[in-house]
Amino acid sequence: MTFLSNILLMVHLFSMALGIGVGISIAVVSAGVGDVASDAGKAMLGALKKLQRIGRGAVILLWLTGIAMVVISYPDPAGLGATFMLKIAAVVVLTGAVFYAGTLGPKVAAGDAGARALGKKLGMLGGAMSTLALILAVLTFS
């Protein structure tokens, strides 16, 4: 089981790095989108759509590997304590933010300033939750 646990941990950490990198990339690209109706704006929105798909995939992979690691290594996850439960809460909020932000693309593409502002807020929330989840994971498992 140790070999499998190590593989799962490596994939989990890679997915976390990928998700955080995509989140930063989305923030940088989003800040550079001016007029969404221009050719450059449409191209940047296309890149954002691809980045969002990668980010959603990273979150799904994080859930799958995280659940597998807990099932393999901790038969009673409730015994992991409050920091683990708070970590899971942060990951649930992060997951919701990532998937909800992904639904805003058509509104942003149509020029909806409110959807664009909400997307930025969801991005900040996602960044905060990923940081919190990382801190709580270190506190839980070290």
Side-chain angles (χ1 to χ4, degrees):
M1 286 295 190
T2 302
F3 178 74
L4 179 58
S5 295
N6 287 338
I7 295 295
L8 287 168
L9 179 59
M10 285 185 260
V11 173
H12 193 75
L13 294 175
F14 173 77
S15 300
M16 181 184 63
L18 181 63
I20 291 170
V22 164
I24 292 168
S25 298
I26 287 173
V28 170
V29 172
S30 295
V33 175
D35 177 15
V36 295
S38 71
D39 287 342
K42 289 177 184 175
M44 292 178 102
L45 288 175
L48 285 170
K49 188 174 182 178
K50 290 175 184 173
L51 287 168
Q52 287 171 341
R53 266 195 304 257
I54 294 167
R56 285 191 302 268
V59 169
I60 290 168
L61 198 52
L62 278 164
W63 272 105
L64 293 174
T65 56
I67 291 168
M69 286 188 300
V70 168
V71 167
I72 288 169
S73 301
Y74 302 97
D76 180 21
L80 290 171
T83 57
F84 178 73
M85 296 307 162
L86 290 171
K87 176 198 178 306
I88 296 303
V91 173
V92 167
V93 172
L94 167 64
T95 302
V98 166
F99 281 87
Y100 186 59
T103 68
L104 298 176
K107 292 179 182 179
V108 171
D112 184 336
R116 190 168 176 176
L118 179 57
K120 288 181 181 181
K121 289 178 184 175
L122 289 169
M124 289 187 286
L125 176 63
M129 291 299 104
S130 63
T131 301
L132 181 60
L134 175 61
I135 291 167
L136 291 168
V138 169
L139 293 174
T140 299
F141 297 107
S142 61

